[in-house]
Amino acid sequence: MLAAHADRERAVDVLRAGYGEGRLEKGEFDQRVARAYAARTVGELALLVADLPMGPVPQPGPAPVVPRTFLPAPRPRTNGKAVGAAVCGLLCVPTFGLTGLPAVILGHAARSEIQRSGEGGDGLAMTGLVLGWLSTAGWALVLTLVLVVGITVG
């Protein structure tokens, strides 16, 4: 088979490596490089590098596969209702408790779904529940006080 320019360059690279390791003298190296550039077939190139241990330059292989044992565990998906519960719970203050009841409902629904499906977001659901119940309790206290004051004054 006829040698390509890339084949000649690979053979010269092997010769350079052999010369760099001290396996070839300067004169022999120069002769072999000249013969490599004059070679017409791949067989002639193979004879020039046959006594050198390096051989053809290896091609890079595919990246090694990492065993699943050492890969990080995939994070579970966050429950959407848990996110909604947390948002409603946080919005209780600027909305004067208007989002407290939706926070409680979404929080309870999210916690039951999380237990059933194994999704993430239990902390968000609990945040929504706590803030929602505090808002609901606060409004219940305010309404009770208004009722008591209304009855006593009335």
Side-chain angles (χ1 to χ4, degrees), residues 66-143:
V66 177
R68 285 194 62 74
T69 308
F70 300 110
L71 292 176
R75 293 179 47 187
R77 235 186 80 216
T78 303
N79 186 286
K81 289 181 183 174
V83 174
V87 169
C88 287
L90 291 172
L91 289 176
C92 283
V93 174
T95 61
F96 300 107
L98 188 63
T99 58
L101 196 56
V104 170
I105 294 169
L106 285 172
H108 281 296
R111 294 211 57 208
S112 67
E113 283 183 13
I114 288 169
Q115 287 176 350
R116 207 171 341 122
S117 67
E119 291 177 313
D122 192 46
L124 293 171
M126 186 58 73
T127 300
L129 275 172
V130 169
L131 293 174
W133 279 118
L134 285 174
S135 171
T136 305
W139 275 107
L141 182 65
V142 167
L143 289 177

Side-chain angles (χ1 to χ4, degrees), residues 7 9 12-13 35 39 49 87 97 102 153:
D7 297 326
E9 288 300 324
V12 170
D13 286 342
R35 287 176 51 199
V49 296
V87 169
V153 170

Side-chain angles (χ1 to χ4, degrees), residues 27-41:
E28 185 180 3
F29 169 72
D30 291 335
Q31 285 177 352
R32 286 191 187 196
V33 168
R35 287 176 51 199
Y37 283 124
R40 292 197 27 88
T41 65

Side-chain angles (χ1 to χ4, degrees), residues 10-19 21 23 49-58:
R10 265 186 248 126
V12 170
D13 286 342
V14 172
L15 292 171
R16 281 188 190 124
Y19 177 68
E21 292 172 352
R23 298 182 189 276
V49 296
D51 59 340
L52 297 174
M54 191 168 170
V57 177

